Amino acid sequence: MFIVNDTYMQKQEIKKSNFISYICPFSEFEDVHKMLEDEHPKAVHIVWAYRHYNKYFQIVENSSDDGEPKGSSGPPCLDALRGAELIDTCVFVVRYFGGIKLGVGGLVRAYSSSVNLAINAANLIKFEIKDECVFFVPFTLIAKFEHYFNKENLEEIQKNFNELGCEYLFKFNKAEFVKFSQFAKLFEMQGFSFLAIPLFAN
């Protein structure tokens, strides 16, 4: 599986119709969609597709033909994402109609190739599942835990101090969590405790 960490754009012309394709992280779907609607008010179609993991690490997929013949544009865009093994990623294809109808087969090829142009231009990054882990560390152990985080090159998402110590929020992949869990459990008798563990650890 792969992800993208930026927005990439490509263009092509097919029988006088202009196709402008964008690929970006799924987290930017709403913002990019609105931006394209604002920037391309005269475009006849803004077709899109996405694939992402929900909080249960199930793949969620969706697409829109945005007025093109049913199944001729959104699903081919989604198929291109699947073919490239992309996750947490969305694509948009803006079409300016050039006056020549392409037919359903022609549209399928046009939208597929437009998305593939964007995919080929993008920097694809290997994806790994990371899930949230929340835990409490008393003041007497914070120095030991901070040393572990530095040694393992781990950086917290958030930390909140209270009168007894600190609650940490990290995102771990499976290997990171297993190693951290082995370290942390040595200190359970001294006040360390897990408050929420990754889904894959259950």
Side-chain angles (χ1 to χ4, degrees):
M1 292 277 204
F2 298 91
I3 58 171
V4 297
N5 64 349
D6 206 348
T7 300
Y8 299 85
M9 184 266 288
Q10 291 288 294
K11 297 179 181 180
Q12 68 171 337
E13 182 180 317
I14 300 173
K15 294 185 177 179
K16 296 186 178 180
S17 279
N18 288 313
F19 293 84
I20 311 169
S21 52
Y22 299 79
I23 186 168
C24 60
F26 175 72
S27 60
E28 298 176 18
F29 176 81
E30 297 292 345
D31 290 342
V32 173
H33 196 187
K34 185 176 187 315
M35 178 196 75
L36 295 179
E37 289 177 334
D38 291 342
E39 289 186 359
H40 300 278
K42 295 183 179 178
V44 287
H45 307 286
I46 301 177
V47 168
W48 53 261
Y50 62 69
R51 304 180 82 217
H52 75 99
Y53 274 121
N54 65 17
K55 65 179 181 178
Y56 303 109
F57 299 108
Q58 300 163 321
I59 294 177
V60 177
E61 300 178 328
N62 202 358
S63 66
S64 169
D65 294 312
D66 193 36
E68 293 279 33
K70 186 175 174 60
S72 67
S73 47
C77 293
L78 183 56
D79 285 341
L81 290 178
R82 291 173 181 150
E85 296 184 57
L86 281 157
I87 195 69
D88 287 349
T89 302
C90 57
V91 290
F92 298 89
V93 182
V94 179
R95 183 189 181 191
Y96 284 88
F97 184 53
I100 300 174
K101 291 186 177 181
L102 302 181
V104 171
L107 288 171
V108 169
R109 289 188 293 274
Y111 281 99
S112 294
S113 63
S114 293
V115 172
N116 283 321
L117 281 174
I119 291 171
N120 292 337
N123 178 32
L124 304 187
I125 300 166
K126 188 77 174 174
F127 172 78
E128 59 178 357
I129 291 175
K130 288 197 171 192
D131 197 11
E132 291 185 353
C133 180
V134 183
F135 50 88
F136 172 77
V137 180
F139 281 119
T140 53
L141 296 175
I142 283 177
K144 281 188 173 68
F145 277 75
E146 292 285 352
H147 176 72
Y148 177 88
F149 302 148
N150 290 331
K151 182 169 65 94
E152 297 296 326
N153 198 27
L154 298 170
E155 188 173 345
E156 76 274 356
I157 306 296
Q158 186 178 320
K159 59 183 177 182
N160 296 310
F161 289 95
N162 58 36
E163 66 276 8
L164 300 175
C166 184
E167 282 188 12
Y168 289 88
L169 168 62
F170 276 79
K171 278 196 171 184
F172 294 131
N173 63 31
K174 194 166 187 177
E176 289 169 343
F177 176 73
V178 168
K179 191 170 184 179
F180 173 72
S181 182
Q182 290 169 346
F183 164 79
K185 284 184 177 179
L186 298 172
F187 302 98
E188 285 184 333
M189 296 294 289
Q190 298 175 54
F192 167 84
S193 61
F194 282 111
L195 304 177
I197 60 173
L199 209 61
F200 52 65
N202 290 320

